[in-house]
Every structure is written in structure tokens, then in C-alpha cells.
Amino acid sequence: MIGKWLGKKKTAADTDTFSNKEREQLESLRIPGYKGPLPSSWFHKSGQQAFLQLPFAATDAVLAPLREANGLPQYDWQLKLNVEKLANSQPELPLVYGNVIAVSSGKGGVGKSSVAAQLAVALAETGAEVGLLDADIYGPSLPTMLGGAEEKQVISDSNKMQPHVRHGVHVSSLGYLADSKDAAIWRGPMASAALQQLFRDTEWPRLDYLVIDLPPGTGDIQLTIAQKLPVTGAVVVTTPQTVALADAEKGIAMFRKVGISITGLVENMSHYHCPSCGHEEALFGNQGGVDIASDYDVPLLAQIPLAREFRQALDEGTPLLVKDPSNPLNTGIRAMATAVAAQLYQQAKK
Ligand SMILES: Nc1ncnc2c1ncn2[C@@H]1O[C@H](COP(=O)(O)OP(=O)(O)OP(=O)(O)O)[C@@H](O)[C@H]1O
């Protein structure tokens, strides 16, 4: 749990109010993934200190426009997060799992696991308590992408699995338990049962967010998982390529069929940025994700470039966010995390 600020008793200084002109400027602040102006009750000031208090995870970058806006920089702006637990698709399950984000793709190889891993690390960077469930039982790749595959699985006295803590994220994966070659031969019901067990028998701490890396595709297994696990919102990952887009459409349709809200679309490998000459090339086509998002009325949460740095870092088990935190490529990943958390909140509150 982060910041207990919301529950703090108000002091006389907290009742300081912004002038009308300042309020107008605050109203013009936009956050990735949040449609429209933020409620004015989320802004506070106390003398020279000013606070933006959000009920979802966000990076400090959201304050940049306030720090730069005319008339507002005199304040020392701070971000206060107090992540609200939102309703999910299984109301009878306790909310200890936090807000559950299912990351899916209609097609294999589009970068779903990379997006899930980097989303989880970026959310954890904000100070949120984050879990990551590797439900990609046919090819659990998170132990490779986040490292620690060689670490022994610890079972607690209460017979529960201790999640591995990797780069600030609590990770549970069959890849830490079984040989991935064994997992690949599992059939539908067996895989689905193993997964539910992995979800239930992991000793998760009290989480703010649980990111689930679903197996690729839109068949029975994905449908069963989506129905059996608590889900707050689904993120569909695609590349801009026509074949991937057709499968992404199936993914959107699948979640809609079972009443799970689509938090949005992430377009991965949207273009290639040449590190030497700066040229940008749309290797998999142009605008695919933008068009699908508009056709299906789902938010486009991020467009992530194809970059050697992302792949290399994940192959080494240390995502770029951790390996090279100030690399400009990370800006888009951090903005994606804010956009996912903001949109998840806004949809749940609708
Ligand atoms: N934006 C990117 N830039 C460079 N490499 C990437 C990018 N996204 C993913 N990759 C690389 O592409 C490969 C496939 O990615 P990943 O395993 O995440 O795909 P997936 O959709 O989860 O695949 P599967 O369906 O098989 O589980 C990995 O080596 C990953 O590092």
C-alpha cells in the first residue's frame, strides 16, 4: 500500500485554496489515459507546497506541465498516490489481489510478455505494490525476461508459494516450478486448473495491481482463464501488421463476450527507430493500432517502437527501465503504465 495521505487529518494549512486563474490552469492538465480534466478535489496546496493526489498509479512526469505552466511553478509540486481497489469480474474474491490487469494478444510473438513485464516494473516504480502472474503456461518467458530462473522456489509453512521478487515486482510463474517443455504438452483443462492453482496458491502480499500475462490466442483456454480469474480490465497487445490486427479484433470480441472491460490497446513494434541515423521506419505498416482503436472504440494506450535495447535488456533478465533508467525509450513505457492505471480507474468508475 502506498501513501496514507488521503486519510491524514486536515490541518489549517491544507485548506489553502488556489486562485480562480490557477484553477483554470489546473483544469487544463491532462494525464495519459485519463479522458478530460481531473477533478479539482485532487489538487491541494499548503503554502508553497502543492499536491496532486491520485487514486491510481502514475509517474512523476504527469507533474511536468504544472511545473512549467505560467503562474504555477512557484509551487513545489508533489505527487501523492493512494491506489483505490476497483471492482473486478469476480466480486466474491477478496480485493487483496488489487486491480487485476489481464495482458493478452490474439496472436503469438507480438510482444505480449514484454509489455506485461515492463508494465509491471513501471507500475512498481511509482511505489505501487505490484504482482505479476505468468499465465502463459505454454511458454512461460517471464523468468527469462525478469531473471532469477535459477532461484529455487520457496514454499511457505502454510504450503503456499512465495513469489519471486524481481525488480520490485512479485512474480509467480510455472517457469520457476516446472520445466517449460513439460508445460508445453498440457492440454486445455489441465493448463487452466494449474493456472488457477498458481494464482490461488501464491502467497501474494496485499497488492495494488496484479498484471496477468495470458497465453496468446482467443481459444477455450484464454476464455476459461478470463472467466475464472478476477479481472478489472484487459489490455490487448498487437503489432500494426494486418494479420496481428485481425487477431487483436478477436481478442477484443472475446473479452466483450464475457463482460470484461477492455482497458485499451497497446501497439507494439509500431515503428523502428534507427539508433544511428534517427530514421523511423514503419516496418509492420502504418496506423493499424490507431484504426482498430477507433473502429472498436477502445483507447490506444501506447505505441512502443521496435528497439534492440528493449530486446537485449529483456534477454538479460533486466528490463531497460532498470538496466538504463534514463534511456529515453523508457518514457513511453512509463507513460503506458500511467495510461493503463488511469484508464482502468476511469472505466471502473463509469
Ligand atoms: N518493442 C520491442 N522491441 C524489440 N524487441 C521486442 C519488442 N517487443 C518484444 N520484443 C522481443 O520480441 C520477442 C517476443 O516477445 P514476447 O515474448 O514478449 O512476445 P509474446 O507475444 O509474449 O510471445 P508468445 O506469444 O510466444 O508468448 C522477445 O525476444 C522480445 O524481447
Side-chain angles (χ1 to χ4, degrees), residues 13 25 111 124 220 239 283 285:
Q25 283 180 311
D220 280 352
T239 62
L283 287 179

Side-chain angles (χ1 to χ4, degrees), residues 105 107-114 136 141 145 216 268-269 304-307 310-311 314-315:
S105 69
K107 184 181 178 307
V110 297
K112 168 187 53 61
S113 299
S114 322
D136 194 349
S141 45
M145 293 182 172
N268 190 30
M269 310 188 192
I304 303 174
L306 179 73
F310 284 136
R311 203 255 322 132
L314 289 166
D315 279 355

